[in-house]
Amino acid sequence: MPGRCRILRYLTAYADDELTGRLLRKVEEHLSRCEGCARELDSIRASDRMLRVASAPAVSDDRWADFHRDLSSALDDVDRQARKPARIRELRPVHGTLRRRTFAAAGAFAVVLAAALLLGPASNLRWWNGGRDRCIVDSIETYASGYTPMFFSSKDPEMTVIWVFHEEVEGGFGGEAPGAR
Amino acid sequence: MRATAIALLAVLLLTALPTAPLAREEGRTVAVEVISIAASTEEAEALAVGERRSPAAAGVAPELSRFSKKLRALFAYNRYLFLSRGRAKAELGGESTFQLPGNFSLEVEPVRVDEEAGLIEMVVTLVRELPPSPAAERSESTREIILRTRIKLGNGGTVLLGGPPIDGGVLILALSAKG
């Protein structure tokens, strides 16, 4: 089922001979057993062939010059329409009302910012709540004899440790080990 | 008053923006750093350069100062020797190989970056190259996969991998990734 194959994202690069190494082997191996992806690759290659045959429309230098002039003119028109006369406020002494308004605005700004950081979506930001060292271990395996893999996560300090025990190394995790607390 | 309201609205919008997934995966690279450490229970005398340091720092090489607290809290070893540091940028789906002491190497393949969860999914393989040995009837060097793990690590975070014996101690790797 090509719609679900992860390899789909690499098919265009594969058709353009841009893949190398392990990824190239993975894609080739997948294509040998997935008819859907093989059909998709054929379709990509057919599109490539059509694009190579079709030639780009010729545009004369004069036409390009006109195009640039027309575009600049149109943008200038948009700018002119957007411009509005600026309002000039009446000048007042810098105390009394203006100062109170400034403090009120600054206070409101600080309250909204604090609320957004503590309660809003910003509380999920990594720089805010830390947790960079969290790690989800999906799988661990070993193909070497004498090794046993395991992992553990500590809360304080926050850290995940993925460990392979070897029979040569004395002790282990679990208290009496030299290697772990 | 209207300007203040607009400013407040802008602040709310800006604080909400970073949680939205922004990055595209195609062609994205992940910066990977691998620091290798030899841990042992030997007497902490002279470390890498033999300089005098405070009792609190004794036993942990200065290059490992940022891990010092975590290493001491997690393990019961009393000597941590800095061996090497490697950095590379790997494309998603690509692989970076870090050569390590003791014929070990670490292959890191970033699979995807989950922008919303702030996680980088990676396949990490620790390999040991066994040299040719007539006694063991090996005419060519062979690769032994010591550990293969699939993890999702916090973006910019570090995970510790370790365990294989190396020169009287064990090898510990601090793997960090940022995408």
Side-chain angles (χ1 to χ4, degrees), chain B residues 130-169:
Chain B
L130 299 170
S133 162
E137 296 177 351
R138 276 199 312 267
S139 56
E140 293 177 6
S141 63
T142 51
R143 276 163 51 92
E144 192 178 42
I145 295 174
I146 306 294
L147 172 74
R148 175 169 288 158
T149 181
R150 193 178 189 95
I151 56 172
K152 295 187 187 86
L153 177 64
N155 197 344
T158 301
V159 61
L160 294 177
L161 303 102
I166 181 171
D167 283 344

Side-chain angles (χ1 to χ4, degrees), chain A residues 8-19:
Chain A
L8 268 177
R9 70 177 79 167
Y10 301 118
L11 286 185
T12 308
Y14 177 77
D16 294 339
D17 292 328
E18 288 171 355
L19 298 184

Side-chain angles (χ1 to χ4, degrees), chain A residues 2 18 23 35 60 71 83 97 107 109 117 132 143 152 165:
Chain A
E18 288 171 355
L23 189 57
E35 282 183 20
S60 68
L71 182 64
R83 253 176 239 148
T97 314
F109 180 84
L117 289 174
R132 286 186 315 163
Y143 298 92
F152 78 92
F165 291 98

Side-chain angles (χ1 to χ4, degrees), chain A residues 24 31 44 56 69 107 117 138 157-158:
Chain A
L24 174 64
L31 284 169
I44 291 168
R69 199 167 43 245
L117 289 174
D138 287 338
E158 185 176 3

Side-chain angles (χ1 to χ4, degrees), chain B:
Chain B
M1 203 60 200
R2 202 172 65 179
T4 309
I6 290 170
L8 294 178
L9 196 63
V11 169
L12 283 173
L13 283 173
L14 283 172
T15 49
L17 271 178
T19 56
L22 295 173
R24 294 177 55 153
E25 293 220 339
E26 289 82 12
R28 183 167 182 171
T29 58
V30 172
V32 180
E33 183 188 66
V34 176
I35 291 177
S36 50
I37 302 161
S40 64
T41 47
E42 294 167 30
E43 286 301 312
E45 293 168 311
L47 290 177
V49 286
E51 64 189 71
R52 304 287 292 175
R53 50 183 75 83
S54 68
V60 181
E63 295 91 339
L64 305 173
S65 56
R66 72 177 162 121
F67 300 113
S68 173
K69 198 176 162 190
K70 286 183 173 173
L71 290 171
R72 286 169 174 282
L74 290 165
F75 306 109
Y77 298 108
N78 60 7
R79 188 174 186 228
Y80 297 93
L81 186 66
F82 170 79
L83 298 178
S84 67
R85 172 185 281 120
R87 286 177 180 146
K89 281 198 167 182
E91 276 197 17
L92 295 184
E95 191 176 85
S96 287
T97 302
F98 297 87
Q99 294 303 326
L100 307 171
N103 292 329
F104 287 102
S105 61
L106 191 74
E107 297 166 0
V108 181
E109 181 191 346
V111 179
R112 79 187 184 105
V113 177
D114 186 338
E115 194 73 22
E116 209 163 331
L119 294 169
I120 300 174
E121 188 172 345
M122 295 183 285
V123 176
V124 181
T125 310
L126 178 63
V127 176
R128 188 175 191 192
E129 201 82 29
L130 299 170
S133 162
E137 296 177 351
R138 276 199 312 267
S139 56
E140 293 177 6
S141 63
T142 51
R143 276 163 51 92
E144 192 178 42
I145 295 174
I146 306 294
L147 172 74
R148 175 169 288 158
T149 181
R150 193 178 189 95
I151 56 172
K152 295 187 187 86
L153 177 64
N155 197 344
T158 301
V159 61
L160 294 177
L161 303 102
I166 181 171
D167 283 344
V170 296
L171 179 68
I172 296 178
L173 304 170
L175 168 67
S176 309
K178 191 167 187 178

Side-chain angles (χ1 to χ4, degrees), chain A residues 72-118:
Chain A
S72 298
S73 166
L75 288 172
D76 287 345
D77 286 346
V78 171
D79 275 353
R80 269 194 294 277
Q81 284 165 16
R83 253 176 239 148
K84 287 180 182 174
R87 281 194 307 174
I88 300 171
R89 288 178 183 275
E90 185 187 350
L91 291 174
R92 291 177 186 172
V94 186
H95 41 224
T97 314
L98 183 57
R99 188 174 285 180
R100 273 201 300 277
R101 277 189 188 171
T102 307
F103 280 122
F109 180 84
V111 168
V112 171
L113 185 63
L117 289 174
L118 289 170

Side-chain angles (χ1 to χ4, degrees), chain A residues 23-166:
Chain A
L23 189 57
L24 174 64
R25 287 195 296 277
K26 266 188 193 174
V27 172
E28 282 176 338
E29 189 196 344
H30 180 82
L31 284 169
S32 67
R33 54 187 162 74
C34 179
E35 282 183 20
C37 285
R39 273 199 303 276
E40 187 68 22
L41 179 65
D42 289 343
S43 159
I44 291 168
R45 283 179 168 156
S47 302
D48 282 352
R49 280 195 296 274
M50 284 168 67
L51 285 171
R52 276 190 213 107
V53 171
S55 56
V59 179
S60 68
D61 290 346
D62 289 345
R63 181 71 196 100
W64 273 119
D66 287 348
F67 171 76
H68 186 258
R69 199 167 43 245
D70 292 348
L71 182 64
S72 298
S73 166
L75 288 172
D76 287 345
D77 286 346
V78 171
D79 275 353
R80 269 194 294 277
Q81 284 165 16
R83 253 176 239 148
K84 287 180 182 174
R87 281 194 307 174
I88 300 171
R89 288 178 183 275
E90 185 187 350
L91 291 174
R92 291 177 186 172
V94 186
H95 41 224
T97 314
L98 183 57
R99 188 174 285 180
R100 273 201 300 277
R101 277 189 188 171
T102 307
F103 280 122
F109 180 84
V111 168
V112 171
L113 185 63
L117 289 174
L118 289 170
L119 307 169
S123 63
N124 295 323
L125 294 179
R126 289 188 293 286
W127 54 263
W128 173 254
N129 68 355
R132 286 186 315 163
D133 287 338
R134 75 196 156 119
C135 181
I136 300 163
V137 180
D138 287 338
S139 66
I140 316 180
E141 45 200 354
T142 182
Y143 298 92
S145 60
Y147 286 95
T148 309
M150 61 88 72
F151 79 96
F152 78 92
S153 296
S154 71
K155 205 70 182 151
D156 186 25
E158 185 176 3
M159 179 61 70
T160 296
V161 179
I162 299 171
W163 202 261
V164 278
F165 291 98
H166 191 265

